[in-house]
Amino acid sequence: QVQLVECGGGLVQAGGSLRLSCAASGSIFRINVMAWYFQAPGKQRELVASITSGGTTNYADSVKGRFTISRDNPKNTVYLQMNSLKPDVTAVYYCQADIRPYISTWYFTQYWGQGTQVTVSS
């Protein structure tokens, strides 16, 4: 069973920083893209940032220049460094990963973490 566990969320003042991490464990042969999404109450879940196994990144326009996504492949872990935080990024942040669990499987399966709350106070 694959598990994605997020940590690092919490309450921070505007202008502050947080670093989220998400570690995948269980039956993992290969991980393709890893990503962070956020979802505020009553709103659709949206992509914050993604990173491929080769290190290619993609960011939402609202966080460009302030957030940085990275990954440590040997540790099956993805990070999100969040700087210059503003209240408009207050949301639950979810880790997502496309994982090929076994060498015998030809497909990737999408997995999600349980989410971690990030609250930015003004």
Side-chain angles (χ1 to χ4, degrees), residues 31-32 34 52-54 71-77:
I31 302 177
N32 191 18
M34 303 185 81
T52 69
S53 60
R71 63 191 288 170
D72 186 337
N73 289 334
K75 295 182 178 180
N76 294 326
T77 300

Side-chain angles (χ1 to χ4, degrees), residues 64-96:
K64 287 181 179 178
R66 299 186 296 120
F67 288 14
T68 302
I69 189 170
S70 61
R71 63 191 288 170
D72 186 337
N73 289 334
K75 295 182 178 180
N76 294 326
T77 300
V78 62
Y79 304 93
L80 185 68
Q81 179 67 47
M82 305 184 292
N83 299 324
S84 301
L85 288 168
K86 300 176 181 179
D88 61 359
V89 300
T90 293
V92 177
Y93 284 69
Y94 295 90
C95 175
Q96 185 271 323

Side-chain angles (χ1 to χ4, degrees), residues 4-65:
L4 271 60
V5 179
E6 302 110 329
C7 62
L11 176 64
V12 64
Q13 297 181 36
S17 299
L18 284 174
R19 184 173 183 257
L20 306 182
S21 64
C22 171
S25 62
S27 299
I28 300 172
F29 173 69
R30 183 175 297 173
I31 302 177
N32 191 18
V33 65
M34 303 185 81
W36 289 96
Y37 290 74
F38 59 10
Q39 186 171 23
K43 296 184 179 179
Q44 185 176 347
R45 188 173 300 182
E46 300 287 347
L47 176 70
V48 177
S50 65
I51 183 168
T52 69
S53 60
T56 300
T57 59
N58 183 48
Y59 296 92
D61 289 340
S62 62
V63 304
K64 287 181 179 178

